[in-house]
Amino acid sequence: MNKMTKLILRWIMVITTILVSLFLIVGCGDDDDPDPPVNLAGKVIILQAYGSGDGPDGAGISHSFVELYNITNESLSLSGVSLYYADGTTVPSGTNTATEDPEWKRIALSGSIPAKGSYLILGPKKNTNPRYTIPDNSGDINNVNFVLSNRAFKVALIRGNNDLTVQNPFTANNSKPVSGYIDMVGAANTYGTRDMIFGYEEAPARNSASAAVRRKDLIDTDDNSEDFVSLDYRLWSAGEPTRMKAEELEVRKPRNSSAGTWDPFADPADPVLGVAITGKGVSSGKLNLAHEAVIILTANVTPAYAEVTDETYLWSVTDQTPAGVLTFDVANEKTFEITAAQIGTATVNITVSGDSLTTPLQTSILVTVSEGTPMLMILQANTYGNDNGGGGGFARSIVELYNNTGDEIDFDTDDYFLHIRNSTSWITVIKLEGKVPAKSSFLVVDNTETASNNTNATPRANLPTADQYAPFVFANNAVIVALMRTGEDLGSANPFTNPDFEADYVDMLGSGSSNSQNIFETSNADQSRPQSPRRTSLTDTDNNGTDFEQIDFRGTGAGNGMLDSELYKYWPRNSTMGTWNPITGTPQIDPAVATP
């Protein structure tokens, strides 16, 4: 072998060694290395975007947001993808002469977007009273700096993390998208006049403080003005048919990835509408009225969007037993006034029709008119009495309640509380226990340890066994008690006039010469130790001064008081003594007279 041949062979060996080394270094990939990033163009789209502006007057949505959607059947990673966003420019009036938009800002995305699912980029809450409120921090990405203008904005989805310096990445690469481009939408309210935006596909969509831009379907034609519609989130009405009904909101509102697979263009559900008659005392389709009471009923149509001006409300009264139980003046309005003309029953009907309703809505309530106000009421209350020249009064402080309804009241399932007050403050709260049959009394008696300042050794008659004993002592010149549905401290308030207690207020008696803080219903009732404030009728007019009178329980030895034969009409009864009329005292049950 000559020198030349040896030299050639040596070079062949060197080159072979180099090639093998290169193959070992770069030719054998690691099976665990990730696959190259998936091209997301045509797979992930911008479904919806909204600019809240700096608020707080936006009528549409609470937060700025961009909602992405994965049109494929597999979950896709968003690692390495950025959302670029910028506002356009706007002028108060006239023509906007701007030539470019402010600089782009960038939000790096992370995680994945589910198959046929959404991914939400969410800013801070800016609008305080919008139609639709997105829960705070409910985005897949939550960014406190992400706020889009409600006049003009642009958002672009691009793989990469470099600064974006071109005005329109859709056309910046020789009229083609920049590298890594996935999707983009630009929007302006009055494009070309007050508002300008320099980034969009073909032509901008239209946005506003009340409207998001949202795709009309999943076909992307690369023309924002054609692919997106202006979706007005304000409440629908017949006069504003482009706004959203409640059912449409359910399928158009933005979602995050936790919503999973869903159809963003599903048809809204058929409206579920109903009508309810409401008014003081209406419950479960029934209303109890006192004879001669006047009440206004209201028809409430639900959902709220159906309450529009084109609706007609037709009221009627049927099945009156006897005839003429209710008197009324029919008017095609939401409200309806009736008067309880006589004792009996009747049915009030309402039919609501209108362009907003696919079919007329109907409902009715049964009205029962009875003697007196149908409620659990304070019948009488007083402190311990004294004989005062003839013997009288009660042995202990008492509160007698009367159930003037047609149903038993169970204190174990319905909470009621007695609040006891002296002349200056509320001092005792008693949670009632047991049951009160319909048209029956319930007696609460003080059981404070016997002392000279809480008992009367010579009462007019023996009290029946109490339905409930509790420690409380009324002052001898100020009997103040409130019947409430709450045991909450009443503070210094008069619950009859304090709106904070309106929902829990039932009844109250304020009486006595020392009721200096005017804790009563409308006016003060009269009271003394042997003379108990007691209702004159079962109709409650919310005026203690006229609803209650003094009943003198003393004997007639001193020329005052009442006869033993009259005592049964007024003396307290308990729940075991049965149904009775506490105004007439019938059926008669005579108490055991203790003092002649």
Side-chain angles (χ1 to χ4, degrees):
M1 184 180 297
N2 57 36
K3 291 183 178 181
M4 181 60 68
T5 302
K6 290 182 180 180
L7 182 60
I8 292 171
L9 289 175
R10 185 176 298 167
W11 277 108
I12 291 173
M13 293 177 63
V14 170
I15 292 171
T16 300
T17 302
I18 294 172
L19 290 175
V20 170
S21 299
L22 288 173
F23 176 78
L24 292 174
I25 294 172
V26 299
C28 299
D30 189 340
D31 289 341
D32 294 330
D33 284 348
D35 294 332
V38 175
N39 181 8
L40 299 182
K43 298 179 179 180
V44 176
I45 59 174
I46 296 172
L47 175 65
Q48 184 173 196
Y50 173 77
S52 64
D54 287 326
D57 57 347
I61 309 173
S62 54
H63 303 60
S64 291
F65 73 87
V66 171
E67 180 185 12
L68 310 180
Y69 188 77
N70 176 4
I71 68 175
T72 75
N73 292 316
E74 59 182 350
S75 175
L76 297 172
S77 172
L78 295 177
S79 177
V81 176
S82 294
L83 181 78
Y84 294 86
Y85 65 98
D87 287 338
T89 56
T90 186
V91 294
S93 60
T95 301
N96 190 332
T97 60
T99 58
E100 62 180 13
D101 300 322
E103 291 183 355
W104 291 94
K105 299 177 183 178
R106 186 180 71 88
I107 298 174
L109 306 187
S110 60
S112 60
I113 181 169
K116 295 191 180 301
S118 290
Y119 184 98
L120 186 63
I121 300 98
L122 188 67
K125 183 175 182 180
K126 289 294 185 179
N127 294 329
T128 57
N129 191 30
R131 164 75 189 289
Y132 178 63
T133 297
I134 303 175
D136 287 330
N137 299 314
S138 61
D140 295 287
I141 295 287
N142 300 289
N143 189 308
V144 295
N145 298 314
F146 178 53
V147 179
L148 297 175
S149 166
N150 58 24
R151 299 290 309 184
F153 66 78
K154 58 187 179 183
V155 292
L157 192 63
I158 299 174
R159 182 176 294 282
N161 54 18
N162 295 324
D163 291 341
L164 188 60
T165 58
V166 297
Q167 285 288 306
N168 191 348
F170 180 64
T171 59
N173 185 16
N174 294 321
S175 298
K176 295 181 180 180
V178 297
S179 176
Y181 182 91
I182 300 170
D183 198 14
M184 178 181 178
V185 63
N189 186 270
T190 55
Y191 178 68
T193 54
R194 285 184 56 193
D195 307 301
M196 290 298 295
I197 193 74
F198 292 93
Y200 44 77
E201 291 182 350
E202 195 63 34
R206 183 184 180 276
N207 73 308
S208 71
S210 57
V213 292
R214 192 179 195 272
R215 287 188 178 272
K216 63 183 182 182
D217 54 40
L218 295 178
I219 300 173
D220 188 2
T221 69
D222 291 336
D223 185 340
N224 291 164
S225 65
E226 292 294 328
D227 293 340
F228 288 82
V229 296
S230 181
L231 187 63
D232 194 334
Y233 270 79
R234 288 176 295 180
L235 185 65
W236 180 94
S237 70
E240 298 287 351
T242 61
R243 299 180 181 182
M244 268 200 288
K245 295 182 178 181
E247 312 80 61
E248 186 179 6
L249 178 63
E250 282 303 307
V251 295
R252 306 292 182 247
K253 66 185 180 182
R255 287 165 167 76
N256 58 26
S257 62
S258 65
T261 298
W262 72 291
D263 181 359
F265 299 99
D267 291 331
D270 292 333
V272 179
L273 300 175
V275 61
I277 300 176
T278 60
K280 185 177 181 181
V282 176
S283 176
S284 301
K286 297 180 180 180
L287 170 64
N288 292 316
L289 285 180
H291 183 210
E292 299 183 346
V294 179
I295 189 171
I296 293 177
L297 302 177
T298 301
N300 291 307
V301 178
T302 54
Y305 77 79
E307 296 187 17
V308 294
T309 56
D310 71 338
E311 291 177 359
T312 299
Y313 299 84
L314 180 62
W315 298 86
S316 64
V317 176
T318 58
D319 302 325
Q320 301 206 62
T321 306
V325 173
L326 304 179
T327 59
F328 52 92
D329 183 14
V330 175
N332 292 332
E333 299 175 351
K334 287 186 63 175
T335 59
F336 180 66
E337 182 176 296
I338 58 174
T339 300
Q342 60 178 308
I343 295 171
T345 61
T347 300
V348 175
N349 312 288
I350 177 68
T351 299
V352 185
S353 58
D355 291 344
S356 63
L357 306 174
T358 54
T359 58
L361 306 175
Q362 296 178 323
T363 193
S364 62
I365 61 169
L366 176 66
V367 179
T368 301
V369 178
S370 57
E371 186 66 48
T373 308
M375 60 182 284
L376 179 65
M377 58 177 58
I378 298 169
L379 179 62
Q380 67 176 323
N382 207 16
T383 186
Y384 60 98
N386 65 349
D387 78 7
N388 196 22
F394 305 132
R396 291 276 191 161
S397 293
I398 69 106
V399 177
E400 182 182 8
L401 305 177
Y402 185 76
N403 177 7
N404 196 35
T405 75
D407 301 306
E408 177 186 79
I409 297 175
D410 187 346
F411 294 138
D412 293 331
T413 56
D414 293 323
D415 288 340
Y416 284 86
F417 298 83
L418 290 180
H419 293 253
I420 309 297
R421 183 184 175 99
N422 60 24
S423 59
T424 59
S425 61
W426 297 100
I427 57 175
T428 303
V429 178
I430 302 168
K431 186 182 186 307
L432 298 178
E433 300 173 350
K435 299 177 181 180
V436 194
K439 306 295 182 181
S440 300
S441 287
F442 185 92
L443 185 60
V444 184
V445 178
D446 166 49
N447 66 350
T448 307
E449 184 177 352
T450 300
S452 60
N453 64 348
N454 63 20
T455 57
N456 173 18
T458 57
R460 179 63 192 277
N462 296 325
L463 288 170
T465 302
D467 291 290
Q468 185 171 343
Y469 289 99
F472 68 100
V473 178
F474 287 121
N476 62 12
N477 53 6
V479 171
I480 307 170
V481 55
L483 178 62
M484 305 287 292
R485 298 301 299 271
T486 177
E488 179 184 346
D489 183 8
L490 301 182
S492 60
N494 181 346
F496 177 68
T497 58
N498 190 320
D500 292 340
F501 295 106
E502 180 178 4
D504 295 311
Y505 182 86
V506 181
D507 197 16
M508 188 171 73
L509 168 61
S511 63
S513 59
S514 293
N515 189 3
S516 58
Q517 296 187 1
N518 299 329
I519 309 297
F520 45 62
E521 290 184 349
T522 308
S523 64
N524 197 49
D526 294 326
Q527 172 267 342
S528 70
R529 276 194 292 182
Q531 299 183 69
S532 176
R534 192 179 191 275
R535 284 192 177 273
T536 60
S537 77
L538 295 178
T539 299
D540 183 15
T541 70
D542 290 336
N543 188 333
N544 291 164
T546 57
D547 289 344
F548 290 81
E549 64 178 346
Q550 280 186 291
I551 300 298
D552 193 340
F553 282 109
R554 290 174 294 181
T556 57
N560 47 27
M562 70 175 66
L563 298 172
D564 290 350
S565 59
E566 296 291 312
L567 196 57
Y568 74 91
K569 297 179 182 179
Y570 311 104
W571 196 253
R573 300 191 188 188
N574 63 26
S575 63
T576 66
M577 298 171 76
T579 299
W580 73 307
N581 185 326
I583 306 305
T584 64
T586 54
Q588 181 173 340
I589 299 178
D590 292 310
V593 176
T595 304

